[in-house]
Structures are given as C-alpha cells and as structure tokens.
Amino acid sequence: MPPPSVSLHLHLLLLLAAAFASPTPALSKSTLESCSSSTACPALLSYTLYADLKLAELAALFAADPLAILAANSIDFAVPDPADRILPAGLPLRVPVPCACSDGIRKVTSVRYVSRPGDTLASIAASVYGGLTTPDWIRDSNGILDADADAAVDAGTRLFVPLHCACFGGVDSGVPAVYLTHVVAAGETVPAIAKRYRTTANDLMSVNDMATADVAAGDIIVVPLTACASSFPSYTSDVGMTVANGTYAITANRCVQCSCGPGNLDLFCVPAPLADSTCSSMQCSNSSMMLGNFTLMMTSAGCSVTSCSYGGYVNGTILTTLTTSLKPQCPGPHQFPHLMPPPTSSFFETYLGPSPTPMPSEGGVGPQMAGMAPISSPPVNSGPPPSHRHVGDVLALLALCLVANLLW
Ligand SMILES: *[C@@H]1O[C@H](CO)[C@@H](O)[C@H](O)[C@H]1NC(C)=O
Ligand SMILES: *[C@@H]1O[C@H](CO)[C@@H](O)[C@H](O)[C@H]1NC(C)=O
Ligand SMILES: *[C@@H]1O[C@H](CO)[C@@H](O)[C@H](O)[C@H]1NC(C)=O
Ligand SMILES: *[C@@H]1O[C@H](CO)[C@@H](O)[C@H](O)[C@H]1NC(C)=O
C-alpha cells in the first residue's frame, strides 16, 4: 500500500451525470489519484489492440515512442524497422506514458486523437482507447456541449483524450513500483487480476481503496508492478525513471537502454542498440569503463565491485557515475530480462490455432554481459542484448511470447 501522504484515493462515479442525461451503460468505478506536484511520473496503461495496427500507429495513438512500447513489453527493439511492424488485433500490451497532474488529478494529458469517419465518442473511448477513458470525460475535456456519446464525430476533429493513470509516489508497501492502469474485462475477478500481475488481492484492494472485491466490466483499477527505481538528480530529463521488473526502458534520446530484473531489482543501463555518434560519451570519466561495464576484485573483506552506471540525461549529455561497493560475494555475469521477437498478425493467428507450442523453459535466454574482470563462469557475450536471435526456435518463442503476454 502506498504511504498515506501520496495515496489520497477518490472513488468517483464517473458516469453519474451521464446516467441522468442519456441512456448510457451501468456506472463504472475508477481509481483516481489526487495530486499537487506538477511533475509527471512514469506509468503504464494496459491496452489490448482493437485492430491490427502498425507499431507506429499504436505509438501515435498514445503519443509514445514506438521503441519504448516494445521495451516496456520486453519485445526485441533492435529489429529492423520496428515501427513498421504490424501488431495483431487482440494483443495485450503495456503502453508507457507520462502521468501528469492536471486539475488536481493524475491523468495522461499528452494524447490527441484525430477522429475518422464513423467514430463516435463512445467508440473512441471504448474501442480505440480500450475503456481507459469515457465518452463524458472526452466531451468535458474538449468543451463539447451536449454531444450524444453515440453521435458521429466529424471526421478530422482533433480531440484531447484524457486517460487514467496513477503513480502513488512510485512505491507500493515501501517497495519501488510502477502503476499500470487496467480496465476490468467481463468476468474478471480481483484475485484473477492479482494473479495475472503477480500481486495479491489484498494489495489491489488496498491500493484501489476498495471495500469489497467486487469489480464489474469497465471498472478502472490500478495495479502496482514491482520495479527498479532510479535516483537521477532532479535536473535530469528522465528523473524518476522506474522500470517494471522483467522489462526495459529506452532513454537519453534512444542512446541508453535500462532494464530491471530478473535476478535483482537494481536498474541496469547500457548503451542502446541504436546508439550512434550523435549520442554523447557513455564512458565513465577517469576510467576506461563504458556504461554497464563493471570490474570485480577479490579483497580480504569480500568482492569489490566497481561499475560505470547511468546517472540521467541533461541537455543532450549522458551522465555517468563510477561507483565502488563491497559485496560478500562476486556477482556472476549480468542477466538481462528475456526479450521476445515482435509478434505479427500471422503469428498471432497461428497461436490461436488448436495447440500452441509448449513454453520452453529457458531461464537465462538473454545474452549476458561480463564485467571486465576474469570470471570463472562459462563464456558470455558482451554486446548489448537486443540483437540476440533464436533462429531455430522462432515458433516456440513466439508461443512463449504470446502466452507470457496473455498471462499478464
Ligand atoms: C522479477 O521477475 C522475475 C521473473 O521475470 C521473477 O522471477 C522475480 O521473482 C521478480 N522479482 C520480484 C521482486 O518480484
Ligand atoms: C581523475 O583522477 C585524477 C587523479 O586520480 C584526479 O586528480 C582528477 O580529479 C580526476 N578527474 C575526475 C573528473 O574525476
Ligand atoms: C540546459 O541548457 C539550457 C540552455 O543552454 C540552460 O539554460 C540550462 O540551464 C541547461 N540545463 C541544465 C540542467 O544544465
Ligand atoms: C563495456 O561496455 C560496452 C558497451 O556496452 C561493451 O561493448 C563492452 O563489451 C563492455 N566491455 C566489457 C569488457 O564487458
């Protein structure tokens, strides 16, 4: 549970007004976080593709970076032309968004939608944005008066689309967390949602200030995901970066990638696959070490670990810090969260077929990065992770990827 100072929850019956005005469906509940700080914080939206969409189109819907979407879903972002990939309808994804504070409430304020022929406020809210907003909220946010949720919106109308998000100070029960907005599906229960996101029903109820475990389709709740926190100074543009366990984030103008887990919850950053000569130096000063490199030295007191880590992004400059710490034992090579190949429409149909390939149990599939000291473990690669391919195992991995996605 987030600390009380940042967890003023309000349960609002968002559709209350509409219930009197027009024959809208049953009232939905949503968890809102009140706020006063003007700084945005990182949040995730749980979103299921309503149609086959190019990654670039999906990214445009949410004003998000296509690579950041892949990274947040542990999907390989080093593939050629990722933004042109077509993602299949029905694919569940996590979309990383800045969660702003506006009118005293946390919400996504960066999303604009240009309506297409046949759109209605109801279809935009429920279908295009998967229930992460409501027709009334869109209407109120755009100063549209007495428009029927089911009336056609003029094609080409540019709408501000507010979406639910929360941060609760980036902690849950004292542990770093990133909050994912989830729209309850028909038949879904609180224990099932808790299981899907590896949390507990009690925690979900407490975070969402629920007196009972009753939820209905269309309710919006927030789910805390265990994460790695950053400690970048406040003048950095990526201050407050928080990466959910098992996933990646892209930062510093696509020059740096950071990951969290699976072995520990220390944020680990290395040069991104797209990093090129336009990126500022990623070498720690007074050292030959690059971002992500580390050296190990056995001393009588234990293992002295010196690492070159990422310290945030300021005005085009990548900050690095060289730190030395003493550990009882030398850590092995760094393990990265497993990366999946991008799913595509045809793959998805294959998966929906009679019997999906069983999940291979590959614990440390991702490539590993060694420090600079000799280590006694087997040979490891030291390139950045997302260039790794498993050519012979594409179908199995595919199933793994989709199963993993569906299990969230
Ligand atoms: C992080 O995720 C890994 C799987 O990716 C899991 O084994 C581990 O328990 C998780 N850690 C925490 C603290 O939740
Ligand atoms: C580099 O190391 C030298 C000597 O060890 C020290 O005098 C200097 O201040 C260091 N420079 C930086 C930028 O840390
Ligand atoms: C970034 O650059 C601008 C203009 O060059 C400068 O005013 C500002 O102080 C810089 N910010 C930081 C944190 O260095
Ligand atoms: C140090 O980091 C760079 C950038 O990730 C990498 O290319 C290099 O292989 C690393 N060196 C060692 C010895 O791990």
Side-chain angles (χ1 to χ4, degrees), residues 65 67-68 71 77 241 248-258 272-273:
D65 178 350
L67 294 190
F77 42 93
M241 187 166 92
Y248 292 78
I250 298 286
T251 187
N253 198 22
R254 295 183 166 186
C255 292
V256 174
Q257 70 173 58
C258 299

Side-chain angles (χ1 to χ4, degrees), residues 28-183:
S28 297
K29 291 186 295 243
S30 31
T31 298
L32 297 185
E33 179 189 2
S34 62
C35 58
S36 52
S37 123
S38 60
T39 39
C41 40
L44 295 166
L45 307 175
S46 174
Y47 178 71
T48 302
L49 292 190
Y50 72 104
D52 286 2
L53 284 184
K54 235 186 215 186
L55 176 59
E57 294 170 325
L58 171 68
L61 273 185
F62 289 96
D65 178 350
L67 294 190
I69 295 178
L70 294 183
N73 290 278
S74 309
I75 297 175
D76 195 344
F77 42 93
V79 297
D81 304 320
D84 291 337
R85 299 281 171 142
I86 294 173
L87 302 173
L91 179 73
L93 287 173
R94 303 170 177 193
V95 181
V97 285
C99 189
C101 181
S102 159
D103 302 327
I105 298 252
R106 286 267 173 222
K107 62 178 98 146
V108 181
T109 57
S110 46
V111 169
R112 304 288 180 277
Y113 177 76
V114 178
S115 61
R116 293 162 308 175
D119 280 339
T120 63
L121 291 184
S123 74
I124 294 169
S127 173
V128 179
Y129 286 99
L132 293 161
T133 186
T134 63
D136 304 289
W137 204 13
I138 301 177
R139 176 169 47 208
D140 294 347
S141 305
N142 288 277
I144 305 174
L145 298 174
D146 57 58
D148 188 329
D150 295 314
V153 177
D154 289 342
T157 308
R158 194 175 150 85
L159 295 169
F160 163 54
V161 181
L163 303 170
H164 284 282
C165 62
C167 302
F168 294 124
V171 288
D172 177 46
S173 309
V175 177
V178 55
Y179 285 82
L180 173 116
T181 307
H182 175 83
V183 181

Side-chain angles (χ1 to χ4, degrees), residues 270-271 290-291 293 369-372 382:
V270 300
M290 299 274 291
L291 221 56
N293 290 154
M369 185 174 305
M372 294 168 73
S382 55

Side-chain angles (χ1 to χ4, degrees), residues 11-404:
H11 258 99
L12 291 199
L13 300 175
L14 275 184
L15 294 178
L16 196 55
F20 294 106
S22 60
T24 34
L27 306 185
S28 297
K29 291 186 295 243
S30 31
T31 298
L32 297 185
E33 179 189 2
S34 62
C35 58
S36 52
S37 123
S38 60
T39 39
C41 40
L44 295 166
L45 307 175
S46 174
Y47 178 71
T48 302
L49 292 190
Y50 72 104
D52 286 2
L53 284 184
K54 235 186 215 186
L55 176 59
E57 294 170 325
L58 171 68
L61 273 185
F62 289 96
D65 178 350
L67 294 190
I69 295 178
L70 294 183
N73 290 278
S74 309
I75 297 175
D76 195 344
F77 42 93
V79 297
D81 304 320
D84 291 337
R85 299 281 171 142
I86 294 173
L87 302 173
L91 179 73
L93 287 173
R94 303 170 177 193
V95 181
V97 285
C99 189
C101 181
S102 159
D103 302 327
I105 298 252
R106 286 267 173 222
K107 62 178 98 146
V108 181
T109 57
S110 46
V111 169
R112 304 288 180 277
Y113 177 76
V114 178
S115 61
R116 293 162 308 175
D119 280 339
T120 63
L121 291 184
S123 74
I124 294 169
S127 173
V128 179
Y129 286 99
L132 293 161
T133 186
T134 63
D136 304 289
W137 204 13
I138 301 177
R139 176 169 47 208
D140 294 347
S141 305
N142 288 277
I144 305 174
L145 298 174
D146 57 58
D148 188 329
D150 295 314
V153 177
D154 289 342
T157 308
R158 194 175 150 85
L159 295 169
F160 163 54
V161 181
L163 303 170
H164 284 282
C165 62
C167 302
F168 294 124
V171 288
D172 177 46
S173 309
V175 177
V178 55
Y179 285 82
L180 173 116
T181 307
H182 175 83
V183 181
V184 177
E188 229 176 6
T189 63
V190 168
I193 298 168
K195 188 167 175 225
R196 174 173 170 185
Y197 296 111
R198 294 196 195 160
T199 179
T200 62
N202 276 345
D203 196 25
L204 274 189
M205 288 174 59
S206 119
V207 161
N208 290 281
D209 201 17
M210 296 161 66
T212 69
D214 295 333
V215 285
D219 285 355
I220 296 173
I221 63 171
V222 292
V223 182
L225 304 176
T226 309
C228 297
S230 61
S231 51
F232 309 151
S234 58
Y235 53 83
T236 56
S237 59
D238 43 6
V239 59
M241 187 166 92
T242 312
V243 182
N245 183 18
T247 69
Y248 292 78
I250 298 286
T251 187
N253 198 22
R254 295 183 166 186
C255 292
V256 174
Q257 70 173 58
C258 299
S259 60
C260 179
N264 62 48
L265 295 178
D266 298 328
L267 193 67
F268 188 78
C269 304
V270 300
L274 289 184
D276 56 21
S277 57
T278 62
C279 298
S280 83
S281 167
M282 290 186 240
Q283 189 170 346
C284 273
S285 57
N286 257 358
S287 133
S288 60
M289 289 202 271
M290 299 274 291
L291 221 56
N293 290 154
F294 56 90
T295 62
L296 310 172
M297 198 168 51
M298 273 314 286
T299 69
S300 53
C303 184
S304 167
V305 183
T306 301
S307 49
C308 176
S309 46
Y310 177 61
Y313 194 56
V314 187
N315 273 352
T317 301
I318 291 165
L319 303 184
T320 55
T321 53
L322 200 61
T323 52
T324 300
S325 62
L326 200 61
K327 309 225 160 154
Q329 285 181 340
C330 282
H334 183 80
Q335 279 207 346
F336 288 92
H338 176 57
L339 275 169
M340 305 165 284
T344 70
S345 291
S346 54
F347 280 156
F348 195 65
E349 277 152 26
T350 307
Y351 167 71
L352 287 178
S355 59
T357 320
M359 288 168 55
S361 55
E362 301 174 86
V365 153
Q368 303 167 320
M369 185 174 305
M372 294 168 73
I375 12 175
S376 55
S377 34
V380 287
N381 308 322
S382 55
S387 51
H388 204 66
R389 322 292 314 172
H390 303 271
V391 181
D393 221 8
V394 167
L395 277 181
L397 275 177
L398 197 68
L400 170 67
C401 127
L402 291 161
V403 168

